[in-house]
Amino acid sequence: MSRYLLRQLLGMIVLLLVTSFVIYASLFLAPGSPDALLFGAHTVSPALRAAVNRQYHLNDPFLQQYWYWLVNVLHGNFGTSITYRTPVALRLSAAAPVTAFLVIYSAILIIVSGVALGVLSALRPGKLDTLIMTATNIGTAVPTFVAGLILLAIFGVKLNWFPVYGAGAGFFDRLRHLTLPAVALAFWAVAYLTRVTRTSMREELQGDPVMTARSRGLSRRVVVQRHAFRNALIPIVTVAGLQVAGLIAGTVIVEQVFGLNGLGELLLTSVQDKDFATVQAVSLILVAAFIVVNTLVDITYTMLDPRIRLGANQS
Amino acid sequence: MTHLLEIDHLSVDLVTHRRYRKVLQDVSITVEKAEVVSLVGESGSGKSMTARSVLNLLPAQGKMSGNIAFEGQSLMDNTNKDWQRFRATKAAMIFQDPRASINPVHRIGDFLTEALVHNRDMDRHEALERAATILEQVGIDDAKRRLRQFPHELSGGMLQRVMIASVLLIEPQLILADEPTTALDVTTQADVIAILDDQRAQREMAMLFITHDLELAAAFSDRIAVMYAGYIVEVSTPAQLHARPLHPYTAALLRSRPLLHERTERLPQISGRPLSAFEAPPGCPFQDRCPYVQAQCSESLPPTQLINGSIVRCHRANELELASTASADAGTEGGQSRE
Amino acid sequence: MSILSNLIAHEDRHLLRRIHDRIGTGGMVAAGFMLLLIVAAILAPWISPTSPNAIDLLNVSSGSSWTHPLGTDNLGRDILSRLLWGARPSLLGPTLVISVATIIAVPLAALAGWSGGVVDQIVSRFLDLVFAFPGILLAILAVTLYGPGLYPCSMALALSYMPWIARVTRSEILRERNKPYVKALEVQGLSGFAICVRHLIPNVSATIWSQVTISFGYALIDLAALSFLGLNILPPGADWGVMTNNENAILQGDFSQVLYPCLLIILCVTSVTYVGKRLSDENTRLLK
């Protein structure tokens, strides 16, 4: 087990390194010289240009430059924003909490309602099931930004229940401000997870282990919990994890719809400002979060399935 | 006299392709205390469904009619709770493929004890102690370690012993064994069957044994019921069945098995294909494949008759002289090639 | 002439029935809807009432009327015309994405699935790497480097969709590869390349098709989102994503301008996803 865990973690670190390299190297894929991209349309003094060249080690060999950058990043130094002339790390630390709050809020919504609706739908065939399935059928076709716009129009503008702009301050105010964005972000994933949960539960309910459990006179509660749900959990966790990891990119869209100053918003303004140091930093954080969540899912998945858990140990 | 299990005129309909289809027709059979009754037939003949009906474990939307009684009490009006109690205490099932039937995510110990813990509120440690004892009785050594293992760490033969142990733990009066050795290696089949029969006999449990293997059934059953297309066509003791089969289908089954002491170029086969109950023509379900078919066979369903203590469902049972081996029965060769 | 038309009609009916067998009545309706949209997109210059950017200052944010069947937006542009013209990039983009993704994914998957061993390992790790970049993020990086537009966005999305198609195809090819007929072909001395091109890929094509169809829907969503973010099609250009980026109208309580492009996107995605799901259901049914 621990050897398996170690291998997963090692794989994650390698993947993180390679992605960081790709993000860094993409700077050099740009047409024109790196410093042209760095400065964009800004006219800068030779002194600043020299300082930036020094900071990015633009005169050193490429791999060495990457190494310096990586070491700095690991120390929490993401360089200086060319446009705003402030440390990128400072801007990140202002934006990250909003995005983190949004992602966690949304993840909770997805997991709780997706699994609950899916299980309900699987256990109660008939009208309720049909209703849930129709809703999720439409739900999976609604893009995140469309969901955001619809929620904004109905609950923000028409009913005026929730604020339409900003992230709020303090826990409860933020909760209120981020409710519509979190629901918009969760919308698609809830629909998808509901379907996966239902299919998975249905399959298990008709499966052999459930038949065995029923043949032993176990109560319906025990059969459903210990056998159907427990076994269905394996695909559910995989999909739920992918959904939550996918949220990280989705925040870019939702933050735009609801005017939130999160990482996504920062990324977009940086792209428009050609503020490459910030683009690099935010991309790196988003990708890293994506990879970490995926690894956590892989580990959870193997905890749930003893066949993989011990199989990896034996081989 | 009350029978332990009495199935009386049982018919079962299942939904396939959105339509009700017959899988069992007018099935009647009894099992006495400590008796072993085998249900023999080809796949689709309804033998598994008969066993499942006893526990009310039909697929969704399945319909039963007729009567099933246990110790003289009808089960047909059972509520869900009654069924749960019945399954938890009176009758238990051994499934065909232990690899599929034993939940792969729980430890062997949890699998063995869950019925005791959840149905009888037994202390977990006590239940584990008992499970270990029974594991040793079914021939699994190092039981304490096995209890902590997961199903995929055990071989198929081992797992089926675990399944047997789980049934013995419940101490039911009736074991329903649904082809318990079909999924196993030939070499372990004999061991597993021997252990099952041995342990069952020690505890005086009755067993309804389902198999497609007539030889196997004959080896340790008290009585054998042969099924075809959802009907029971013959019920007899193994000795009588071998000496004088009464139904042409039984005779054909007996002739189509290889014999150890005889060399044959080609085993006789039964022409045509096995039918399911819903495909069966009006009249005798075996008419299309029967070498002795006559006009009356397609006119009416043969009634069950009692001949020399055996039950048979054939219009011509009284007049036919059937044999159980090909060489002793030259007369049927011509009949078999007839379409 | 009548013989010929009969023959064609007969052939058509045959083909339609074959399609019907695969995707059902619902699938036919969905596919018909998509076909209608494609025709409308091609004919946009001839059938749209006005130019997509013609401004009618007398009718700003108007409801539906004879001159503007679906009304106008807050700049006085005809919504129906913009929807029709917008169908072009909105449908062309996803087509580009899935075409490029499939062209890269299928050979890569065949190579990995057929060779196995080290090659499979390398390809799989490469797919993991690409997989770590969410599509939207790759597109944003592409826009940073090459500026906004349909091509950078489509190519970036194609790259990020590639692993999905490749993974599914690879596992199908792996399964197919172990079948006896493949062994038989190998014994007959057919090269690995020939077996892949002539047997394996055609035999798993049903799975590829369903995956590609479903990906089309996701690509449409992602490209619309990128337009909404101002990275794909830029205003005053029209695609359905751009048309939804009209928060002023929403905040003023006028959702109707945004409603039509939203509905079109949802209908399109529902249609292609439905067809894709039916295709894959049909595959699993045929496999059983």
Side-chain angles (χ1 to χ4, degrees), chain A residues 34-53:
Chain A
D35 61 348
L37 191 75
L38 280 173
F39 294 117
H42 306 276
T43 45
V44 284
S45 66
L48 180 61
R49 190 176 288 271
V52 167
N53 274 351

Side-chain angles (χ1 to χ4, degrees), chain C:
Chain C
M1 187 222 141
S2 71
I3 296 172
L4 191 70
S5 66
N6 269 347
L7 205 68
I8 290 171
H10 183 73
E11 277 296 298
D12 278 357
R13 209 171 59 213
H14 217 71
L15 182 71
L16 282 179
R17 184 170 303 154
R18 281 212 325 263
I19 297 173
H20 184 268
D21 286 346
R22 293 298 304 275
I23 60 179
T25 312
M28 293 286 278
V29 173
F33 174 71
M34 288 309 292
L35 207 65
L36 193 76
L37 279 181
I38 292 169
V39 171
I42 293 169
L43 298 181
W46 296 280
I47 58 172
S48 49
T50 66
S51 143
N53 292 321
I55 292 169
D56 183 353
L57 281 174
L58 296 175
N59 286 305
V60 172
S61 299
S62 75
S64 67
S65 64
W66 280 110
T67 39
H68 304 292
L70 299 180
T72 58
D73 66 8
N74 50 354
L75 293 177
R77 296 174 297 193
D78 182 56
I79 289 179
L80 178 62
S81 304
R82 285 179 74 72
L83 284 177
L84 287 168
W85 281 91
R88 297 183 143 202
S90 298
L91 296 176
L92 178 68
T95 312
L96 265 176
V97 171
I98 57 164
S99 309
V100 175
T102 312
I103 288 168
I104 303 173
V106 171
L108 209 57
L111 179 73
W114 181 262
S115 314
V118 184
V119 180
D120 188 25
Q121 282 288 319
I122 294 172
V123 172
S124 297
R125 289 294 87 75
F126 171 66
L127 294 180
D128 283 349
L129 172 66
V130 180
F131 187 73
F133 289 86
I136 294 275
L137 187 65
L138 266 188
I140 289 173
L141 284 176
V143 169
T144 319
L145 295 174
Y146 303 104
L150 185 62
Y151 290 104
C153 286
S154 303
M155 292 307 117
L157 285 184
L159 186 61
S160 87
Y161 278 59
M162 186 272 291
W164 293 92
I165 300 172
R167 277 182 177 185
V168 173
T169 313
R170 174 184 161 274
S171 66
E172 284 291 310
I173 284 192
L174 267 182
R175 186 167 35 191
E176 200 70 14
R177 193 201 190 305
N178 292 324
K179 289 190 178 166
Y181 81 91
V182 178
K183 270 276 165 294
L185 291 171
E186 274 186 289
V187 172
Q188 286 168 30
L190 229 63
S191 70
F193 180 78
I195 296 176
C196 280
V197 171
R198 275 194 248 150
H199 298 277
L200 287 188
I201 295 176
N203 283 357
V204 304
S205 66
T207 311
I208 301 176
W209 272 112
S210 80
Q211 186 66 28
V212 163
T213 314
I214 293 171
S215 298
F216 184 96
Y218 291 142
L220 197 146
I221 287 182
D222 279 350
L223 283 171
L226 287 166
S227 283
F228 175 80
L229 294 176
L231 303 172
N232 180 13
I233 306 295
L234 295 179
D239 89 339
W240 301 335
V242 170
M243 294 178 69
T244 59
N245 191 356
N246 195 343
E247 248 172 281
N248 284 335
I250 296 173
L251 291 177
Q252 282 156 21
D254 179 10
F255 194 64
S256 60
Q257 298 176 20
V258 180
L259 185 69
Y260 295 111
C262 283
L263 275 180
L264 263 185
I265 293 169
I266 293 172
L267 278 175
C268 263
V269 176
T270 317
S271 302
V272 290
T273 316
Y274 183 80
V275 173
K277 287 255 172 63
R278 278 305 295 252
L279 285 175
S280 83
D281 286 353
E282 200 61 15
N283 290 343
T284 47
R285 198 180 64 81
L286 290 176
L287 280 174
K288 275 179 186 166

Side-chain angles (χ1 to χ4, degrees), chain A residues 63-106:
Chain A
L63 280 175
Q64 209 171 343
Q65 294 177 30
Y66 165 67
W67 179 247
Y68 287 135
W69 177 75
L70 186 68
V71 169
N72 272 329
V73 164
L74 289 176
H75 283 94
N77 177 8
F78 289 88
T80 307
S81 157
I82 314 284
T83 323
Y84 296 90
R85 304 206 178 138
T86 49
V88 174
L90 212 65
R91 307 184 67 203
L92 288 178
S93 61
V98 177
T99 304
F101 196 105
L102 182 60
V103 168
I104 293 167
Y105 192 177
S106 196

Side-chain angles (χ1 to χ4, degrees), chain A residues 3 5 17 20 23 34 43 56 62 99 128 158 161-162 175 177 202 213 221 230 233 264 273-274 278 296-297 310:
Chain A
R3 233 177 71 192
L5 209 69
L17 278 177
S20 75
I23 288 171
T43 45
Y56 283 87
F62 175 64
T99 304
L128 184 66
K158 270 259 151 52
W161 288 357
F162 292 97
L175 200 66
H177 273 83
R202 278 271 164 98
R221 188 181 58 81
R230 174 62 182 74
L233 215 50
D273 297 343
K274 297 257 174 210
T278 312
L296 286 178
V297 171
L310 290 137

